Amino acid sequence: YARERLLVMLNAILANGHTASEVTCATPPGEHHELGLLALAVRLALRQYRVVYLGTNVPTDDLVRHVTARRPVALCLSMIHSRPHAEIIDYATMLRQRIPRDVRLVIGGRAVDEIDDALPGVAFVGHGLPPFLTPVG
């Protein structure tokens, strides 16, 4: 029920025809959760971003192809499954190298709550939003 309500909200907001900057929301391979990601998408749409919602468990090659073709201002990934921080850092580093430099990479969720590592071009935000995703309208 919650998933369906969030999708309805997102679609209603997006139907308003925003012409603002685009943001892509997804979860990487192995991440099948969706409610937090949908809540993020709704939050960004309410901030006047045009949100492309790719959903869960998106293969890395598909993420790279998408952001290379669309050039959103940010690729926002949600990660909640516990894993070694080094694994998350390695994935972020690899993805950062493969996507265009002008696309900002944001990784949020419970899995990155305690990551304080500074990684150029990557924002680890836990449950918040990075400052550059403030309202644009």
Side-chain angles (χ1 to χ4, degrees):
Y1 176 80
R3 177 186 183 275
E4 295 306 316
R5 295 302 300 159
L6 286 167
L7 282 170
V8 167
M9 288 170 55
L10 179 61
N11 288 327
I13 298 165
L14 295 178
N16 291 332
H18 298 306
T19 58
S21 301
E22 185 174 295
V23 175
T24 297
C25 295
T27 69
E31 295 277 350
H32 298 276
H33 65 285
E34 190 166 32
L35 293 181
L37 181 67
L38 276 168
L40 170 67
V42 167
R43 188 174 180 190
L44 290 169
L46 288 170
R47 290 174 184 241
Q48 305 299 309
Y49 284 99
R50 197 175 57 232
V51 177
V52 175
Y53 182 77
L54 297 182
T56 64
N57 195 35
V58 180
T60 301
D61 288 342
D62 292 348
L63 288 171
V64 171
R65 272 193 294 279
H66 172 83
V67 299
T68 299
R70 303 273 310 213
R71 289 305 232 282
V73 295
L75 170 60
C76 297
L77 300 177
S78 177
M79 299 176 78
I80 66 165
H81 297 300
S82 295
R83 61 190 79 195
H85 287 170
E87 182 180 320
I88 297 170
I89 299 293
D90 289 347
Y91 180 77
T93 300
M94 176 276 301
L95 192 56
R96 178 71 269 167
Q97 291 170 351
R98 293 186 61 195
I99 65 174
R101 289 186 141 326
D102 59 328
V103 177
R104 297 179 104 161
L105 178 57
V106 180
I107 302 176
R110 187 175 57 231
V112 301
D113 273 343
E114 297 176 10
I115 295 182
D116 295 326
D117 300 47
L119 189 59
V122 180
F124 294 106
V125 294
H127 290 83
L129 286 176
F132 65 84
L133 287 178
T134 55
V136 296

